[in-house]
Amino acid sequence: MNIILLGPPGAGKGTQAQRLVEKFGMRQLSTGDMLRAAVKAGTPVGLQAKAVMERGELVSDQIVSALIGEELDAMGAGTGAIFDGYPRTAAQAESLDALLSDRGRGLDRVIELEVDEDALVERICGRFTCANCGKGYHDKFEQPNQAGVCDKCGSTEFKRRPDDNEETVRTRMAEYRAKTAPILPIYDARGIVTRVNGMADIDQVTAAIERALSV
Ligand code: AMP
């Protein structure tokens, strides 16, 4: 099964993708994570993407679609893909169709996480992750059980994304409204969209997604 998690920044796409990975052995394909790794490694793609990401704007369609193609090629044919943060434009949606059909895959479902935009700035600006295992936390909503120690792996190092500040978040949301939300009708026309309340409790959101995937 290949699915897209769609929703504005902070909607919970990454959190839910991680849960699906753990539960069903699917693979999370997050273009944001791939780009951050490229920036960290100082690759040509990373050098091109760094400033664009810091402004909260979108990296070029060609770059992100090429990254997705490489990841799909590296995956076992039987492993399902969760697209997280991709596609973000109509051109990327078109590329994804081609990338999947070239590999004998199809798109089974698009989950749209519906959220209240006003709550997103607070959600995003307080979030941080374990630098070792990537577990997500939040200043207000989910602190580690023991202050400064990761619940999952015991690491004491945490990190915050440089683009998780209010000004950049506003740009990222504007990009979502202008370029990403308009691709939903493409998938609506195919009858494969399920809308899930992304403001519900994390477990309830997971349960709703699992229901959507079992239909
Ligand atoms: P994310 O981790 O999904 O919030 O992405 C972080 C940043 O990476 C975005 O604000 C964009 O600058 C860039 N990015 C990630 N995925 C894409 C994509 N599919 N298309 C264009 N830019 C992207």
Side-chain angles (χ1 to χ4, degrees):
M1 192 175 240
N2 303 297
I3 67 167
I4 296 174
L5 293 182
L6 204 71
K13 301 185 295 292
T15 303
Q16 296 300 332
Q18 279 181 8
R19 290 180 163 215
L20 296 173
V21 166
E22 277 167 29
K23 193 147 181 194
F24 301 116
M26 297 173 81
R27 177 91 180 265
Q28 176 185 11
L29 279 79
S30 156
T31 39
D33 286 350
M34 294 172 204
L35 290 166
R36 278 184 288 279
V39 169
K40 198 170 168 202
T43 65
V45 163
L47 293 175
Q48 245 179 294
K50 187 169 187 285
V52 180
M53 292 172 76
E54 277 168 5
R55 289 197 299 273
E57 294 166 8
L58 294 186
V59 172
S60 86
D61 292 331
Q62 278 147 310
I63 287 182
V64 290
S65 294
L67 290 172
I68 289 286
E70 285 165 23
E71 289 289 316
L72 282 172
D73 286 337
M75 277 171 61
T79 306
I82 307 161
F83 298 100
D84 159 12
Y86 179 91
R88 263 175 155 98
T89 64
Q92 291 178 26
E94 228 175 86
S95 296
L96 179 59
D97 282 340
L99 287 166
L100 288 172
S101 69
D102 286 352
R103 289 158 180 81
R105 290 178 181 261
L107 186 60
D108 298 285
R109 196 133 286 274
V110 176
I111 306 287
E112 185 198 4
L113 293 173
E114 293 184 301
V115 281
D116 162 14
E117 275 203 17
D118 291 336
L120 292 181
V121 175
E122 187 183 39
R123 264 199 196 183
I124 293 178
C125 293
R127 67 187 183 179
F128 60 99
T129 55
C130 170
N132 179 50
C133 73
K135 172 159 176 35
Y137 294 97
H138 194 280
D139 291 329
K140 202 162 160 189
F141 309 122
E142 198 189 352
Q143 284 280 357
N145 293 327
Q146 189 186 336
V149 182
C150 176
D151 298 344
K152 196 168 163 190
C153 76
S155 166
T156 52
E157 283 194 37
F158 297 88
K159 59 182 182 184
R160 286 174 196 267
R161 285 173 44 171
D163 59 346
D164 278 352
N165 61 76
E166 183 161 351
E167 194 191 340
T168 309
V169 168
R170 300 263 178 223
T171 307
R172 287 159 64 198
M173 283 179 185
E175 290 280 71
Y176 180 82
R177 273 194 302 269
K179 296 173 186 164
T180 309
I183 67 180
L184 266 160
I186 301 173
Y187 299 123
D188 264 329
R190 296 184 203 170
I192 56 170
V193 180
T194 303
R195 294 185 162 80
V196 167
N197 175 14
M199 298 311 293
D201 176 81
I202 293 180
D203 290 337
Q204 287 174 337
V205 177
T206 308
I209 294 175
E210 286 177 11
R211 276 197 300 278
L213 299 186
S214 62
V215 292

